[in-house]
Amino acid sequence: MTIQHLTTLTSPAGTSRKRRLLQGAGLLAASALMLTACGGGDGGAEGGSEGGEGTTAAAEGNTLERLQEEGTITVGIAGEVPYSYLEDGEPAGATVAMHEKIFADMGIENVEAELVEWNSLIPGLNAGRFDAVSAGMSILPDRCAQAAFSDPEIMYTTTLMVAEGNPLGLTDLDSVKEKVDSGERVNLAVLAGGIEAGYAESLGLDVQSVPDAQTGMDTVANGRADAFAMTAISLNTLAEENPDAGVETTDAFVQVIDGVEQIGAGGTVFRQDDTELVEAYNEALASVTESEETYLEVVGDYGFTAENLPPEDLTTEQLCAGELG
């Protein structure tokens, strides 16, 4: 299995982790504006349980002990390259690779995946369809109200996928808003439940929602949308793997809302009652994120760089609160 859904930040490679956090000050306050990693409605759209089964699934016993006894964990994925997807029927991607290592270190040797739509990830988790979400999902207050997140694992930025040649000259969501405000028609597509949907709403932009990255690319390629906004690493990878699609991506950018940079941070998602599982996971995760070397050994093959490594002093508590401590 592998992992996907990360995005490359635009700060210099030599920037320290602490400095990168300072550059992202406002990250948490901005999180409250986002609906949903790179990557699909917000925590509210994803939230809730299917048939109220989540509490029952979590209450049946200690999930960590059960998984260690069975030797297998099932994760929910959304099919987003390079975070988590199926390749020849097998799970692959950066987050999958991360989870194969981390769960093995926890005594859970086998990682299986269930492919679902982005908006079904948290509901499916709470309904007991799988034991964790492996999608690089951004840590946002609305989502934290419905599920438990690991420590931050991934930092990412945004890009626009546009028709080849970028006929409208778009660069970021601000450029979309400028054209719309001037009376020009711009059809913008976003991943349903994705962070970019929250950005667009905050800017007052009308959007069309798509269920996954492939559909977003097809929408632009077929002329049904002028731009598709999503995490940069995902759209860059998609464009590179589809050179004949007639699309290209803009430079990665950090969207600014009300003067605040919207820098995304993602993690693994668990049910709120699975506290022992979350604690054990975070302990094992620390051996991956302790340095650039250990981090890139796991996710470097999927296009992630040192800029995707979260700062040491960025916490899930801060992100869930929607403000920096």
Side-chain angles (χ1 to χ4, degrees):
M1 305 182 75
T2 38
I3 293 182
Q4 27 168 265
H5 217 323
L6 302 179
T7 322
T8 306
L9 293 178
T10 54
S11 56
T15 304
S16 69
R17 296 175 69 188
K18 183 174 182 179
R19 181 181 173 190
R20 281 186 275 131
L21 177 58
L22 294 176
Q23 291 174 331
L27 163 67
L28 295 167
S31 295
L33 298 173
M34 308 173 189
L35 287 179
T36 59
C38 197
D42 63 11
E46 296 164 337
S49 63
E50 297 176 351
E53 299 173 13
T55 302
T56 301
E60 290 178 349
N62 186 308
T63 302
L64 174 60
E65 293 178 355
R66 172 177 63 80
L67 295 174
Q68 288 173 329
E69 181 178 350
E70 295 174 353
T72 297
I73 184 170
T74 301
V75 299
I77 65 174
E80 184 180 349
V81 178
Y83 298 105
S84 54
Y85 51 98
L86 295 180
E87 187 172 63
D88 298 327
E90 295 296 324
T95 55
V96 173
M98 185 180 293
H99 288 154
E100 287 181 325
K101 171 176 173 45
I102 291 173
F103 287 122
D105 289 346
M106 294 166 57
I108 307 167
E109 294 295 331
N110 186 38
V111 180
E112 298 180 351
E114 180 172 344
L115 181 65
V116 300
E117 288 189 0
W118 181 269
N119 276 347
S120 296
L121 288 171
I122 289 181
L125 172 71
N126 286 331
R129 291 176 57 187
F130 33 84
D131 305 297
V133 173
S134 178
M137 184 176 284
S138 55
I139 305 169
L140 303 175
D142 285 348
R143 291 174 174 174
C144 294
Q146 300 173 59
F149 280 80
S150 70
D151 290 339
E153 299 172 335
I154 299 164
M155 304 295 291
Y156 52 87
T157 50
T158 304
T159 193
L160 299 181
M161 177 173 280
V162 296
E164 201 166 33
N166 195 3
L168 296 184
L170 301 173
T171 56
D172 55 18
L173 292 178
D174 287 334
S175 69
V176 174
K177 181 173 175 56
E178 288 172 5
K179 289 185 177 295
V180 170
D181 289 347
S182 68
E184 190 169 347
R185 182 178 178 83
V186 181
N187 294 319
L188 175 66
V190 297
L191 184 66
I195 277 183
E196 295 75 22
Y199 297 164
E201 181 180 41
S202 297
L203 294 171
L205 296 172
D206 292 329
V207 301
Q208 55 178 303
S209 297
V210 298
D212 52 55
Q214 181 66 49
T215 303
M217 183 182 73
D218 292 343
T219 301
V220 173
N222 295 332
R224 298 193 304 274
D226 299 302
F228 173 39
M230 197 173 169
T231 55
I233 195 167
S234 295
L235 292 191
N236 289 339
T237 300
L238 194 60
E240 290 170 2
E241 293 182 348
N242 295 273
D244 299 324
V247 299
E248 63 182 63
T249 56
T250 65
D251 290 340
F253 60 89
V254 175
Q255 185 62 42
V256 175
I257 304 292
D258 294 332
V260 179
E261 288 187 333
Q262 309 290 297
I263 301 175
T268 298
V269 194
F270 302 91
R271 287 183 289 270
Q272 288 181 333
D273 289 341
D274 287 336
T275 54
E276 296 91 347
L277 180 59
V278 177
E279 291 171 359
Y281 181 88
N282 283 337
E283 184 176 347
L285 170 64
S287 66
V288 174
T289 57
E290 65 182 1
S291 71
E292 293 181 1
E293 181 180 4
T294 55
Y295 188 70
L296 296 180
E297 282 178 357
V298 179
V299 300
D301 288 343
Y302 300 94
F304 294 99
T305 72
E307 295 304 317
N308 297 119
L309 177 63
E312 292 177 351
D313 48 357
L314 176 64
T315 70
T316 295
E317 289 73 21
Q318 292 172 325
L319 292 162
C320 286
E323 60 185 29
L324 287 172

